[in-house]
Amino acid sequence: MGKLDGKVAVVTGASKGIGREVALALAAEGAKVIAIARTKELVEDTAAKCRETGAEAVAYVADVTKFDQAEQIAKEVTDKFGRIDILVNNAGVTRDNLILRMSEEEWQQVMDINLKGAFNWIRAVARHMLRQKSGRIISISSVVGLVGNAGQANYAASKAGIIGLTKSAAKELASRGITVNAVAPGFITTDMTAAIRQEAKDAALKAIPLAHFGEPKDIAAAVCFLAGAGASYITGQVLQVDGGMAM
């Protein structure tokens, strides 16, 4: 018996990295997983891997910046499974540049996917969770949203925005038994961080008291905790999973 048996979990950005690991961890705990991403082959592979754990899993190709797509999928999921218990807002991108060189497009694309995408999905699932008087909403922020980072003004602003959105949604939805929290990863080994220059990685490592980078499974474990019964009295919080990087 998994801790999330019978629960229905929606995970955005589920094609690789943290999102894929979160989807697999939720499936391993018995949740029915709705995997969402833009790349058909990758998100279908995530759903297939979830099914290998014995869980039900469905893949959807969608753009998180489109509210109508979020609304339609949320309706289809509730029509099929009768409920949505868990939402994990993980979809995110980076378009790094110094402020003086950053284009409007680089700014807007990051804000649209990282922040507007989370808003779209919270809005889409909230009405279903309000009806059932329960739910867990977990959004992936970043320690960069807490401390900033040179060359990442757009990313830092979007992840700081996730924290404000989380706290506001937590206050709005608490009376109906819905908790809303954020996880703020530090330096996690993924395809996204693999593109970072070695000098920057070396500098980041020196700033981590635990002296090693995290892995997607570390974030997945935090998400599973916040999604479970043991976190029922936790809302409006930001859980840093960063090896002490941003104490």
Side-chain angles (χ1 to χ4, degrees):
M1 291 285 287
K3 295 176 184 176
L4 300 173
D5 279 354
K7 302 295 185 183
V8 178
V10 173
V11 183
T12 71
S15 61
K16 55 187 177 180
I18 290 171
R20 180 182 172 92
E21 197 67 34
V22 165
L24 291 170
L26 292 170
E29 289 291 353
K32 299 177 176 71
V33 174
I34 315 305
I36 295 164
R38 289 181 296 180
T39 308
K40 186 174 189 288
E41 296 78 12
L42 292 176
V43 74
E44 286 183 347
D45 185 61
T46 295
K49 288 288 193 295
C50 287
R51 287 192 289 271
E52 287 176 12
T53 70
E56 268 190 83
V58 181
Y60 280 94
V61 177
D63 180 348
V64 296
T65 69
K66 310 295 185 188
F67 174 71
D68 60 336
Q69 292 184 22
E71 193 172 44
Q72 179 60 35
I73 293 170
K75 182 181 183 304
E76 287 182 24
V77 171
T78 52
D79 285 348
K80 179 178 173 63
F81 295 107
R83 58 194 300 111
I84 296 175
D85 299 288
I86 300 158
L87 167 66
V88 183
N89 285 310
N90 169 75
V93 296
T94 55
R95 295 290 182 269
D96 296 350
N97 220 333
L98 296 172
I99 289 172
L100 291 178
R101 295 177 185 165
M102 187 174 290
S103 67
E104 184 178 359
E105 183 184 7
E106 286 170 333
W107 171 270
Q108 199 59 52
Q109 186 178 23
V110 169
M111 296 300 286
D112 283 349
I113 293 173
N114 298 10
L115 184 54
K116 186 186 175 211
F119 164 77
N120 285 345
W121 272 95
I122 289 173
R123 187 176 165 206
V125 306
R127 65 188 59 185
H128 302 286
M129 290 182 173
L130 287 167
R131 253 196 309 272
Q132 66 200 31
K133 296 184 179 178
S134 67
R136 298 278 190 272
I137 296 172
I138 302 148
S139 297
I140 306 301
S141 179
S142 170
V143 293
V144 170
L146 295 165
V147 300
N149 195 31
Q152 287 194 309
N154 49 1
Y155 187 73
S158 71
K159 294 302 188 177
I162 288 278
I163 293 170
L165 174 61
T166 293
K167 291 178 180 291
S168 297
K171 290 184 176 181
E172 289 186 22
L173 302 174
S175 66
R176 293 297 187 93
I178 301 164
T179 66
V180 189
N181 293 289
V183 175
F187 200 110
I188 307 298
T189 304
T190 63
D191 289 349
M192 188 183 285
T193 55
I196 295 172
R197 298 189 325 275
Q198 190 58 46
E199 313 89 83
K201 289 182 186 177
D202 293 342
L205 192 58
K206 289 177 184 175
I208 300 171
L210 285 182
H212 65 87
F213 296 141
E215 297 179 21
K217 68 179 182 181
D218 298 316
I219 309 306
V223 169
C224 285
F225 165 67
L226 290 172
S232 62
Y233 201 56
I234 300 172
T235 197
Q237 302 305 306
V238 182
L239 177 55
Q240 292 174 226
V241 185
D242 63 358
M245 187 178 187
M247 276 193 238

